[in-house]
Amino acid sequence: MRYFLLALASGLLFSLGWPTWGFPLFLFIGFVPLLIAEREIRTSAKKRKGWQVLLFAYITFLTWNIIKTNWLWYSSEFGAVFAITVNSLLMSLVFLLYHHFAKRTTFFISTVFLTSLWICFEKLHLNWDFSWPWLNLGNGFSEFISWVQWYEYTGTFGGTLWVWIVNLALFKSYILYKEFKQKSILFRGSLKASVYILLPLIISLWMYNSYEEGGETVNVVVLQPNIDPYSEKYNVPNDEIATLLFDLTEREVTAETDFVIAPETVFADNERIEVFEESAITNRIRSFINEYPHLNFLSGVSLFKVFDDREQVTNQTNQFPNGLYYNTYNSAFMISDKPDMDLYHKSKLVVGVESTPYVGIIKPLLGDIMLDLGGTVAMKTTQEDREVFKSKNGAFATGPIICYESVYGEFVTGYIRNEANFLSIITNDAWWGETQGHKQHLSLAKLRAVETRRSIARSANTGISGFINQRGDVEETLAYNTQGALAGTLYLNDEITFYVAYGDFLYRIALFILIGVILIAFTRRRGEVGIE
């Protein structure tokens, strides 16, 4: 029962520390109960210790995953069960590896191993086919953005490292206290942990209060059509959608407006990619923006391409029963006074809904197991480069981030390296209803603003649409589940942050250290269980 309560306590602490209603100080003690349980199991005479560690770690991470990502259920019951149970298991396996490693080495080396391994695990979760980085530890500070202004140097892995350093300092103090029974050890340990928390916090608060936006500005209108994707979105012709978007635009647009931004796949009545640039809907948009000087109209659209040439088939290609092939795209496009349309295809896809993980292995075994998420089911085709949409005079350049892509820090830096001076996020966020899902998604966008020091315009179908400044503050919003348009002025920025230049360098350091401590552990005698 003691181990169960310790494991449960860790899960609850992480939940209490997580956005959007949590307080991140709880993250700094979240691992301590589970670490205590693991150590007591490891140093006991019990049998099947590894299985016990795996079980209690699973209780911790399952509790955290259920409480903070249960909103997935509203979009897909199977998807929620799969994501929650598998993610909890993967986190638990990291702890199991630490358990086996700690048995043969010192406290210091084993905890360095654990921290490095966890960072490498989070990096894996950013890049492999089963990507689900929602609960990466560095994301936990998104509602307290003034605490992590130094993310412009470290990205979210800096937050992950911060959480682990404090947890391990407190854990070490607990072990020493249990061994020597001196209350002064707890006092010194708490003081040291406080310094570890306060020093980065003070630096961040200084950066937050001293950071000033300046320079050129861009005038943006974001649209929030509030279309129900389950009953309306995929049944309304694009022409009717265009009329709605134009009506919303006219509420806020002026002769000074530079951009109008509409949500992801708002034009959901699939258009053929080969002729989309000259389609009826794009011609209507061109006619509309001709009434306003230098207006750029950015929106999401569903596109498709049908073909019979097998040489064009990729792992992202679908097939009709009649043998023809087709590609589908979740895309962003921009129409302006330039002669050619800008077009970008979403490249970080939602697992199951837009991509089948390891399709070469899974599809022959299980067939088409795509999850139904309100009509969007089909493998999507992606592109390699991060396209940047630029105005005709080149003064404005925006990175068109589509929905889930806004969760990925290093991915977003690709837009900045391609000269984006502000960012646009277009998303749906209607799938989860009035839950934490859409609130957490907005919250994570604030981290991208800090990492890149780019202002963000966010257009969400059902909300929350709004504007985020370069410090990560949400300045203005449209309430969830309302229809409307919002005008705002954003500062542009052409400077490159350290994080944009070097990306997830902390992961690369962690990987190097991980390999080093593994070599040390397996080339030395078994270490003592105590502190070294």
Side-chain angles (χ1 to χ4, degrees), residues 260-281:
V260 171
I261 301 175
E264 172 192 21
T265 60
V266 67
F267 293 108
D269 191 4
N270 288 292
E271 299 273 349
R272 288 179 56 196
I273 192 170
E274 303 96 324
V275 296
F276 178 58
E277 188 163 356
E278 300 301 328
S279 65
I281 196 64

Side-chain angles (χ1 to χ4, degrees), residues 1 3 37 40-50 52 56:
M1 179 58 71
Y3 299 148
E40 290 184 4
I41 292 171
R42 174 164 35 98
T43 57
S44 71
K46 296 178 181 292
K47 296 181 179 179
R48 299 188 177 89
K49 298 178 184 180
Q52 291 186 60
F56 293 117

Side-chain angles (χ1 to χ4, degrees), residues 147 223 326 398 410:
W147 291 22
L223 307 181
Y326 66 101
T398 189
E410 190 172 55

Side-chain angles (χ1 to χ4, degrees), residues 442-463:
L442 168 65
S443 188
L444 293 178
K446 297 190 288 184
L447 301 175
R448 307 292 83 83
V450 174
E451 289 168 343
T452 64
R453 294 302 185 189
R454 294 297 188 272
S455 302
I456 296 175
R458 190 175 195 268
S459 172
N461 172 28
T462 51

